[in-house]
Amino acid sequence: MIVINAEQLRGTPRDASGPGWQSVRMIVKGDGMGYSVHETRITEGAELELEYKNHFETNYCVAGEGEVKDLNTGKTYPIKAGDIYALNLNDPHILRATKGDLHLLCVFNPPLNGDETHNADGSYDVRD
């Protein structure tokens, strides 16, 4: 059984951040679950252009408000607490936090190791 609190991971290599985002990787590849789970905050006003070419991602919004724009279709979806969105086609997208910090619980498949930050194209590499 794995039991961990996000505060235990703050300031460790599993506490990753970049411009406009901070993510605590609570379950990672090394835990052997086949997916990773992250507590992620997008700073109010931040706009992130992302494309997880090597991963599928599902996000559950816990707090804040924002929007996700599908760059393939041009459609923008509002995001608020209680909403879930999944990038099931490795969708290139723009994520914006529009009212308060956007607090998300994120699941990645394949799992991240825990210390990754975004590549220039907004993706993560798959690492052993």
Side-chain angles (χ1 to χ4, degrees):
M1 182 178 293
I2 301 167
V3 178
I4 195 159
N5 183 283
E7 291 304 315
Q8 295 172 294
L9 299 174
R10 298 208 193 280
T12 74
R14 287 169 52 172
D15 184 8
S17 62
W21 65 276
Q22 184 271 330
S23 183
V24 175
R25 280 64 187 275
M26 299 186 68
I27 299 293
V28 295
K29 184 176 184 175
D31 294 320
M33 298 295 296
Y35 56 84
S36 58
V37 179
H38 316 169
E39 178 192 78
T40 300
R41 294 181 190 268
I42 310 300
T43 308
E44 182 177 17
E47 179 176 297
L48 307 176
E49 187 167 339
L50 306 165
E51 181 178 5
Y52 298 121
K53 298 174 182 178
N54 305 307
H55 298 85
F56 295 111
E57 181 191 26
T58 298
N59 297 280
Y60 178 76
C61 182
V62 176
E65 294 182 21
E67 58 188 25
V68 60
K69 180 177 182 176
D70 182 335
L71 293 177
N72 286 330
T73 66
K75 185 165 181 169
T76 299
Y77 302 88
I79 302 298
K80 64 183 182 325
D83 290 340
I84 194 167
Y85 68 94
L87 304 166
N88 61 322
L89 300 174
N90 305 103
D91 313 274
H93 61 286
I94 295 175
L95 180 62
R96 297 181 184 101
T98 58
K99 188 173 181 184
D101 290 351
L102 197 55
H103 184 185
L104 304 170
L105 293 180
C106 313
V107 178
F108 276 82
N109 185 13
L112 298 186
N113 288 328
D115 60 349
E116 293 90 342
T117 58
H118 296 110
N119 294 326
D121 65 1
S123 69
Y124 293 125
D125 292 328
V126 175
R127 298 183 354 216
D128 292 327

